[in-house]
Amino acid sequence: TDLRLHLKKWNIPLVIRFGPALHVFSQLHKEWPFQRLYSHQEIGVDWTFRRDLRVKEFAKSHGIQWKESLQFGVFRGLKNRDEWM
């Protein structure tokens, strides 16, 4: 409520959507085409990894720049942890 009221001062609507990531991003992109997507890199379970691969493909196919910030010191895609630090 506080954020909604704060944004209202600048005529910026607060939009909250629930649902599967690709569905939500697709709907948002149809309504308000965006060029950038920011998130943290999910390091959860296999289904979140597979979801993120689909989001990556969605972003690429729509010309959307996706920036994933690292978190928790876990890095995807390493073949081994030798000389990791």
Side-chain angles (χ1 to χ4, degrees):
T1 301
D2 289 342
L3 181 56
R4 185 182 308 276
L5 291 173
H6 185 72
L7 292 172
K8 190 174 182 177
K9 295 175 187 176
W10 291 283
N11 288 330
I12 300 171
L14 177 61
V15 178
I16 299 173
R17 301 285 173 93
F18 295 94
L22 283 180
H23 176 74
V24 171
F25 291 147
S26 180
Q27 292 298 331
L28 288 173
H29 195 262
K30 286 177 186 173
E31 293 176 46
W32 300 290
F34 53 90
Q35 292 84 34
R36 290 179 197 82
L37 178 61
Y38 296 90
S39 69
H40 67 270
Q41 188 178 82
E42 180 66 52
I43 53 167
V45 293
D46 186 56
W47 76 266
T48 61
F49 178 67
R50 287 184 281 120
R51 177 208 54 211
D52 289 354
L53 291 176
R54 291 188 301 271
V55 170
K56 181 179 181 179
E57 184 57 37
F58 170 82
K60 184 178 178 182
S61 69
H62 288 83
I64 299 168
Q65 191 177 50
W66 185 21
K67 171 65 177 163
E68 287 183 283
S69 299
L70 298 176
Q71 67 170 346
F72 304 127
V74 177
F75 305 92
R76 285 184 178 163
L78 295 179
K79 300 298 180 206
N80 63 57
R81 303 288 184 202
D82 297 343
E83 301 179 35
W84 179 37
M85 300 299 276

